Amino acid sequence: MTIKYNRRSLLKLTGGTLAAASVASPSILFAQDSYPSRPINVVVPFDTGGYNDRLARAFAPFLSQRLGQPLNIINRGGAGALLGHSYFLQQPDDGYTLLCTSAAPFLPLNVLTQNAPFAVTDFHMMNLPSRDYTMMATSTESGITSIEDVINQLKADPRSLTIGIQPASADLVNLMLLADTVGISRDELRLVTYDGGGPARNAVAGNVVDIALVGGQGFLPLADKIVPLLIFDDAPRDNWGSAIVTEVAPGADFVLGSQRGWGVHASLVEGSPEIYQTILSAVEETSKAPEVIEALSSAQLATDWFGPEVSNRSLLATAAVMEQHLSILQGS
Amino acid sequence: MTKTGKLKIQWGHLVLLAIIAGWILAYLLDARATSMRVSNLLLVQPVAILALILVLVLVPQCFVREQPNDNTLAANNQDTPPAKETPLELAKIGILTAAFVALAFLMERIGFDVSVFAFLVLGLYICGERNWIANLAFSAIFTVALIYGYGAIIPFPFPLAVL
Amino acid sequence: MIDLAELSDAFTILSSSWSAWIFVIPGLLLGLFFGSMPGISITMAMAIFLPMTLYMDFLPAIIFLTSIYTGAGFGGSVPAILMNIPGTSSAVATTFDGYPMSRQGRHNEALGIALASSVIGTLVSYILLMFLIEPVSGIVLKMGPLELFFVAIWGLMLLGSLAGESIARGLLAGTFGLLLGTVGMNSAGYIRGTMDIPWLLDGVPTIPAMMGLLAASQLLNLVNTKHLIEDEDLRRISMRKITGGFREAFQHKTIIGRGALIGVVIGSIPGVGSSISNLLSYSEARRNAPDGDTFGKGNPKGVIAAESANSSSEGGAMATMLALGIPGGGATAILLAAFAMHNVVGGPSFIANNKDVVYAIIMSNFAQALLLLGVGLGFVYIASYIVRVPMRYLIPSVLVVALFGSYAINGTASGPITLAVFSVIGWGMVRYNYPVAAAVVGLILGNLVEGNLLRTYQISGGELAYALERPGALLILALMVVSFGLSAFSKMRRKRKAGVQMGAS
């Protein structure tokens, strides 16, 4: 008990009086112990039950084995992950708080549309194994069979189809960029806005809207109720067999969908390189371990290893395209 | 049913209506400032206007004519204030409410353990527990039980000062 | 409809893996315990135990999780009845009559009635599920925004009967709640009324606001009372009276049947679920009861209606999950995750190829419901000792529990602050005879009403003719009109009858 008491009060001291500026102090305080010497927290900026929560909870036991300390999952949902991301940055950058999040599109969205008190570069993503993509789909009952049908109909009359979509999303950016490239009037499109990807997918599967643009992986359980029309990526994904955007509209800009995975404070990489290296190798080892790959892929969770360089580059590229087309995200 | 008797103003009722109407008006103006598009105001604007009209209908009900000679009418009249507390009883409610609001706003900053314990001690005293030993013992045990009980099952830590 | 060969296979599965059954009672107990803690959602309880199921076989894992689901579904009713705290939005209607019953010293009956109604509701819903799983899956995805809008309007009709003595005050409370329910970012992406507070982007936190309006406002008013139940003789805890509540519940077969049907149908619609079904069922029971005026003052029928509907929503949500492979809410999302962990993917092909497993799941839920009757009995017996606690201890303690619960929802001060603000507003409303329940109903429905009205407008382009393309919506509208017409007609007849009798005597 007394040890715990001391540690808590020390933390309070560093967190409260020295404030966030003195970034390295916690690691100095624990310098006598080798990292990690106590349980590690994993912040998930979404409520229980979502993809990131399930990813964190499935991955944590294996990562915990390699780090030698238990991992506590902390859910901080709300406001499009803004609350959770802010909370994460407020924690000391001593390697005892990790982040599991949909870095794209939520970090750029927080910054671009929500006046977030941080920059995308305050976060360092170690690995973003889950890379979703926008998919345009229609119901098997709609009579639409190909992306050409859609483009021709919308060219003739932009109001002829209802389009299920989430506001301020990567999907919306992709739709508008496609419209620009193939020459469809953006402003006249009949958008039907949904609060989440799930409701939008259900609506198109039930033929309530004519087409929908939503994250493609979520469509997998509904595969036999929909016709995939177009995938916004430069290569085919998940065996959908649909057209891909680089063929249909060469030269069209597009953004990847959700990029989810593991991050730390950017200041940790600079401030405590040894600790960062310990975490990074543990995450890499865990991601590549066969038993982890088996356990996660059976739960339809991604565990591919891309590494920090590819992950951060991809995140920043997405952020740049989103910033370039900010007006679409902000609506009017 | 003569119009005799003193005109009594329910000040509390007026304040309640003012708060509700003030918020609704501010909300409506904020929504209109955000965007004048139909997809923004579709529901909010008509409902807000309806609510504001209802407030206007209800304002006269804050002015009640006391009818000292007609007890049966007064008893049936829904506009008479329901509560008949003594000033002391009202003060107790007021202090407890103020302490509760203060606790809600400060518990994260002070730490749950200290603030909850303090609130329990004060709350028990206001609600009538005059035995200090029982009060302090219960407050301490209940605080610890709650923090460890809830702490064990929720997926995030409580901010604590001492425990 | 029911494949008998598959059914007997299901029996084989269940009887061959007896080990699966040992998880039912722990699951129920965990669910009851978590569910009765304000602010701990069913989803949270299930998410915490999800990793444990990784090491179990498929069937024990599912049985364990669905037991938690069943237990937690009823657990929420206990604080609703004893303390007027709806720990989840699906227990709101339970507070309307359950809490007044407690205050009158009928807490034993109220808990017994709630338990029995929940169990019967769950049983009926799984029986319906067995027959309806395929047709339901065909309809659910067809539910467009207009259909959902009408469902929400049906729910809003409850405002009329909650209004109490003054229609104007009831309507103001209802519209106030409705507006509160639309704060934040709407479906089209417009941000209103957040006062630059980030967490209000998601809207006013519903559960803390409800706890403030319904529970904390009440408690503050009780500072000057000695006990929750004034009469000492009535403060007894009686097993006999609790089981007497069972009998009472069984006497109202129509209310339970209707509640279960509403629960299954509404529960199967993704994103709507039990938070709406308990209100609809309560509203229907109230309008159709000869003693409708006594609802809200401790009428057991109100408890029966609410509990039968919120528990049967579980069956509806399971139907959607099994048949379509899509989650209707957090709890079924967790179940799907558990399915996935065992390499089982829900959806049409799962049902077609694994009917035996589906039947096994359904039947294990029958068993869970029956066991809940026993486990729950012990649980409510212990829980009801709360009525013996003197108010001077109960008030501060429950206020603090509510604060912890509101913090537990997402671990930020947003919950406690919302709770405190709304307990003050609620106290003022109660003091001047504004029905807080109407504000709560508005708050719960606000988002649903606006989102679906908006999407209807977006799809139709504002043209009324669109309604003609949606026979389902017209059917719901017709049902609503018929239901209201019938209850008005029978009310008139009762009145005339009463008038004739009075004339004769």
Side-chain angles (χ1 to χ4, degrees):
Chain A
M1 268 324 243
T2 46
I3 298 165
K4 207 171 180 185
Y5 172 87
N6 288 332
R7 192 195 301 143
R8 277 254 165 73
S9 38
L10 282 177
L11 263 182
K12 276 194 76 66
L13 200 77
T14 54
T17 53
L18 302 179
S22 63
V23 284
S25 52
S27 48
I28 291 168
L29 281 171
F30 297 114
Q32 68 270 30
D33 305 329
S34 67
Y35 175 89
S37 61
R38 60 190 162 96
I40 297 167
N41 290 328
V42 178
V43 174
V44 175
F46 299 91
D47 291 335
T48 45
Y51 186 99
N52 288 285
D53 181 57
R54 290 190 289 117
L55 177 64
R57 287 177 195 278
F59 196 76
F62 300 109
L63 183 60
S64 162
Q65 280 170 15
R66 281 165 185 82
L67 284 170
Q69 286 289 345
L71 296 181
N72 300 322
I73 311 289
I74 301 182
N75 296 90
R76 286 276 166 147
L82 175 63
L83 302 179
H85 287 150
S86 310
Y87 171 81
F88 169 75
L89 279 186
Q90 283 162 13
Q91 306 309 305
D93 56 346
D94 52 6
Y96 286 96
T97 312
L98 311 181
L99 179 68
C100 180
T101 186
S102 297
F106 288 102
L107 282 175
L109 279 176
N110 291 161
V111 173
L112 295 172
T113 67
Q114 294 178 304
N115 285 324
F118 52 72
V120 176
T121 48
D122 289 343
F123 298 82
H124 172 90
M125 303 317 292
M126 293 180 289
N127 190 30
L128 296 174
S130 157
R131 294 150 69 95
D132 205 349
Y133 47 90
T134 299
M135 185 164 101
M136 183 196 288
T138 186
S139 163
T140 45
E141 300 164 28
S142 69
I144 301 169
T145 53
S146 71
I147 180 66
E148 284 75 26
D149 287 358
V150 173
I151 293 178
N152 291 337
Q153 281 196 44
L154 288 179
K155 267 186 180 166
D157 176 7
R159 301 193 58 73
S160 59
L161 296 175
T162 51
I163 306 169
I165 203 153
Q166 295 176 79
S169 64
D171 310 319
L172 183 62
V173 173
N174 284 332
L175 171 69
M176 293 308 184
L177 295 180
L178 177 71
D180 289 352
T181 315
V182 299
I184 297 168
S185 163
R186 251 194 210 195
D187 299 326
E188 286 177 74
L189 290 172
R190 272 167 75 189
L191 302 183
V192 183
T193 47
Y194 285 87
D195 298 322
R201 285 185 201 101
N202 296 347
V204 74
N207 206 15
V208 172
V209 290
D210 296 316
I211 57 170
L213 283 88
V214 206
Q217 289 167 346
F219 269 121
L220 288 168
L222 291 167
D224 50 6
K225 299 208 175 274
I226 56 145
V227 180
L229 296 173
L230 182 66
I231 280 172
F232 289 80
D233 203 340
D234 48 17
R237 302 283 302 267
D238 291 324
N239 302 318
W240 284 111
S242 74
I244 59 174
V245 72
T246 42
E247 294 165 359
V248 171
D253 235 347
F254 68 91
V255 290
L256 280 175
S258 295
Q259 297 162 41
R260 314 178 183 98
W262 300 86
V264 292
H265 298 77
S267 51
L268 175 78
V269 184
E270 300 286 309
S272 322
E274 317 81 45
I275 292 180
Y276 167 68
Q277 206 50 52
T278 311
I279 302 172
L280 184 67
S281 352
V283 171
E284 179 171 359
E285 254 177 62
T286 313
S287 302
K288 288 176 175 170
E291 84 268 19
V292 180
I293 294 173
E294 195 199 326
L296 267 75
S297 53
S298 74
Q300 294 173 337
L301 298 166
T303 174
D304 309 86
W305 176 256
F306 293 101
E309 211 166 298
V310 175
S311 299
N312 285 306
R313 199 180 333 119
S314 159
L315 169 62
L316 290 175
T318 304
V321 180
M322 286 170 77
E323 187 170 6
Q324 201 185 335
H325 302 286
L326 187 56
S327 60
I328 298 172
L329 294 169
Q330 284 171 332
S332 49
Chain B
M1 298 287 164
T2 46
K3 292 253 173 186
T4 54
K6 254 190 358 207
L7 198 66
K8 194 168 171 268
I9 304 172
Q10 294 181 342
W11 288 107
H13 193 176
L14 265 181
V15 170
L16 178 71
L17 279 178
I19 290 172
I20 292 178
W23 179 80
I24 292 173
L25 190 65
Y27 182 48
L28 177 62
L29 293 178
D30 187 44
R32 290 176 60 95
T34 302
S35 169
M36 293 296 286
R37 293 242 182 145
V38 178
S39 46
N40 180 32
L41 298 176
L42 189 67
L43 181 78
V44 170
Q45 178 150 309
V47 173
I49 291 173
L50 170 66
L52 289 172
I53 293 171
L54 286 166
V55 171
L56 290 181
V57 171
L58 286 165
V59 165
Q61 296 186 8
C62 301
F63 303 92
V64 190
R65 214 166 270 284
E66 277 191 340
Q67 307 223 339
N69 299 328
D70 194 343
N71 287 327
T72 51
L73 193 91
N76 290 332
N77 191 345
Q78 42 144 336
D79 292 333
T80 49
K84 286 264 185 270
E85 300 102 342
T86 62
L88 177 72
E89 287 173 338
L90 207 57
K92 278 192 198 168
I93 296 178
I95 296 171
L96 190 68
T97 309
F100 185 59
V101 173
L103 174 66
F105 277 86
L106 297 175
M107 64 201 290
E108 213 178 20
R109 207 166 308 159
I110 301 177
F112 276 37
D113 40 8
V114 174
S115 58
V116 165
F117 176 72
F119 174 81
L120 282 173
V121 172
L122 178 72
L124 283 167
Y125 182 78
I126 295 172
C127 295
E129 179 59 68
R130 292 293 180 269
N131 181 342
W132 280 107
I133 296 171
N135 182 335
L136 291 172
F138 176 83
S139 299
I141 293 168
F142 198 68
T143 305
V144 171
L146 264 187
I147 285 172
Y148 287 108
Y150 260 105
I153 56 176
I154 62 170
F156 27 74
F158 288 123
L160 300 173
V162 177
L163 284 173
Chain C
M1 277 202 173
I2 288 185
D3 195 326
L4 286 176
E6 302 277 8
L7 197 61
S8 74
D9 284 350
F11 273 114
T12 320
I13 294 177
L14 288 175
S15 52
S16 63
S17 53
W18 281 107
S19 63
W21 293 98
I22 58 171
F23 292 107
V24 173
I25 290 190
L28 286 173
L29 278 173
L30 285 170
L32 279 169
F33 180 69
F34 276 59
S36 62
M37 306 273 282
I40 305 291
S41 62
I42 299 179
T43 316
M44 206 184 280
M46 290 169 69
I48 288 166
F49 290 98
L50 177 65
M52 235 171 89
T53 60
L54 191 61
Y55 306 102
M56 302 179 184
D57 287 332
F58 175 67
L59 201 64
I62 299 303
I63 287 180
F64 180 57
L65 286 173
T66 52
S67 299
I68 296 179
Y69 193 171
T70 306
F74 173 69
S77 321
V78 176
I81 289 170
L82 293 175
M83 294 182 281
N84 209 26
I85 295 184
T88 68
S89 46
S90 48
V92 167
T94 310
T95 64
F96 295 168
D97 281 286
Y99 181 67
M101 283 183 77
S102 285
R103 295 230 47 206
Q104 293 157 10
R106 292 191 288 155
H107 50 282
N108 295 304
E109 291 92 329
L111 288 166
I113 286 170
L115 180 57
S117 311
S118 286
V119 168
I120 304 170
T122 312
L123 283 175
V124 173
S125 77
Y126 277 101
I127 293 173
L128 284 172
L129 170 61
M130 221 148 163
F131 290 97
L132 292 179
I133 193 157
E134 275 156 282
V136 158
S137 65
I139 298 167
V140 165
L141 288 179
K142 299 278 172 213
M143 295 285 286
L146 187 62
E147 288 81 354
L148 292 180
F149 177 68
F150 283 144
V151 168
I153 292 296
W154 201 331
L156 274 184
M157 292 296 173
L158 180 56
L159 291 180
S161 47
L162 289 176
E165 290 141 342
S166 159
I167 296 290
R169 289 180 198 198
L171 277 180
L172 180 61
T175 46
F176 178 50
L178 207 53
L179 287 170
L180 285 168
T182 63
V183 165
M185 193 196 278
N186 85 342
S187 296
Y190 296 105
I191 297 169
R192 304 92 35 111
T194 57
M195 300 179 276
D196 287 327
I197 301 170
W199 47 267
L200 279 179
L201 274 175
D202 298 328
V204 174
T206 314
I207 294 173
M210 282 182 342
M211 291 201 288
L213 286 171
L214 289 171
S217 66
Q218 280 279 339
L219 285 167
L220 294 172
N221 255 334
L222 293 174
V223 169
N224 300 304
T225 52
K226 297 259 179 291
H227 277 91
L228 195 62
I229 302 163
E230 310 254 332
D231 189 340
E232 201 182 334
D233 292 337
L234 293 177
R235 246 174 265 151
R236 284 213 195 99
I237 318 296
S238 152
M239 196 56 104
R240 201 173 50 81
K241 282 189 178 167
I242 297 177
T243 47
F246 285 14
R247 269 194 300 281
E248 180 147 14
F250 277 104
Q251 282 161 11
H252 299 284
K253 294 185 190 70
T254 334
I255 298 178
I256 291 194
R258 187 171 48 216
L261 189 64
I262 290 175
V264 172
V265 173
I266 302 291
S268 66
I269 305 171
V272 183
S274 57
S275 55
I276 310 293
S277 66
N278 74 101
L279 296 176
L280 272 183
S281 169
Y282 182 84
S283 164
E284 286 300 298
R286 179 178 185 145
R287 254 187 316 100
N288 289 306
D291 52 353
D293 302 338
T294 63
F295 272 59
K297 295 168 188 157
N299 190 325
K301 290 178 194 164
V303 179
I304 297 174
E307 283 299 308
S308 57
N310 70 16
S311 58
S312 57
S313 301
E314 180 188 329
M318 291 281 282
T320 305
M321 185 202 81
L322 290 170
L324 297 171
I326 54 175
T332 40
I334 302 280
L335 278 176
L336 273 179
F339 270 52
M341 278 186 185
H342 294 89
N343 278 326
V344 178
V345 178
S349 53
F350 172 66
I351 293 217
N353 304 331
N354 302 284
K355 241 185 194 149
D356 50 347
V357 178
V358 172
Y359 285 153
I361 292 173
I362 292 174
M363 274 187 306
S364 80
N365 272 287
F366 281 175
Q368 283 164 26
L370 291 173
L371 284 169
L372 175 65
L373 203 60
V375 176
L377 193 61
F379 187 80
V380 299
Y381 184 79
I382 296 167
S384 56
Y385 271 91
I386 283 176
V387 303
R388 310 272 289 265
V389 179
M391 278 316 240
R392 61 180 190 276
Y393 283 90
L394 198 60
I395 291 172
S397 316
V398 175
L399 285 174
V400 170
V401 168
L403 270 184
F404 270 75
S406 64
Y407 187 83
I409 291 163
N410 64 2
T412 65
S414 64
I417 291 173
T418 309
L419 172 68
V421 167
F422 280 91
S423 51
V424 175
I425 295 175
W427 181 78
M429 289 176 72
V430 170
R431 190 175 172 83
Y432 294 104
N433 280 321
Y434 289 80
V436 279
V440 170
V441 171
L443 179 66
I444 293 173
L445 293 173
N447 206 12
L448 190 71
V449 173
E450 195 196 12
N452 288 299
L453 183 61
L454 175 63
R455 283 186 281 277
T456 306
Y457 168 76
Q458 287 167 332
I459 291 182
S460 67
E463 283 168 33
L464 286 175
Y466 170 71
L468 300 176
E469 297 168 27
R470 308 293 304 181
L474 294 178
L475 183 69
I476 296 174
L477 187 64
L479 272 175
M480 182 157 69
V481 170
V482 168
S483 158
F484 275 80
L486 276 180
S487 60
F489 177 70
S490 66
K491 199 176 220 167
M492 217 165 64
R493 254 201 356 202
R494 271 198 302 270
K495 252 190 196 149
R496 197 176 302 150
K497 229 178 185 172
V500 169
Q501 271 169 0
M502 272 225 278
S505 63

